[in-house]
Amino acid sequence: MGTRPEFSAQTLSVLAALCEVPSQWQHGYALAKQTGLKSGTLYPILIRLADRGLIEACWQEEPQPGRPRRHLYRLTADGLASATGALAAAVPSRGRPAARQRSGRGVAAPAAPGGLTTAAG
């Protein structure tokens, strides 16, 4: 059995978004739009990352009139180091983060006739 990866694919997408401008505070809503994650996935990830000391969170100082204060997030120095290492380990040779490949609903793709593997082209 292999070892469990340090970060899930969803957490890696959050870390990648935060790494784009690591010193800049970002709203959770902007991170949700950037990563495509729903709030029920994103905010627990942000809480876990904050609990591990990889990101810091604070309340927005001066919200726009008529709008509630929002949380802001950014990477800590330890978070940037962890994120950089994890993202580098997850990137295949083409320079893109590794994505989970799916073949239907957990069903393996059918084998070539006779059990032989064929190369396309």
Side-chain angles (χ1 to χ4, degrees):
M1 288 201 121
T3 61
R4 182 176 172 197
E6 185 177 2
F7 298 111
S8 68
Q10 294 86 356
T11 301
L12 286 173
S13 69
V14 172
L15 290 172
L18 289 166
C19 277
E20 288 185 15
V21 189
S23 61
Q24 181 179 326
W25 291 99
Q26 297 187 51
H27 296 106
Y29 180 74
L31 290 169
K33 288 191 73 154
Q34 196 171 352
T35 61
L37 297 174
K38 304 276 186 201
S39 61
T41 300
L42 175 66
Y43 289 102
I45 288 171
L46 292 170
I47 290 167
R48 283 193 299 274
L49 291 172
D51 287 346
R52 291 175 65 179
L54 300 179
I55 65 170
E56 51 187 329
C58 72
W59 284 102
Q60 183 178 18
E61 288 296 319
E62 298 177 23
Q64 295 175 344
R67 309 259 345 219
R69 290 189 334 161
R70 300 189 289 180
H71 264 107
L72 300 169
Y73 305 91
R74 73 175 175 190
L75 288 168
T76 62
D78 287 343
L80 182 58
S82 291
T84 303
L87 290 168
V91 176
S93 60
R94 290 187 308 229
R96 290 188 174 162
R100 219 183 268 180
Q101 293 183 353
R102 294 186 182 183
S103 176
R105 295 181 184 245
V107 177
L116 300 174
T117 347
T118 59

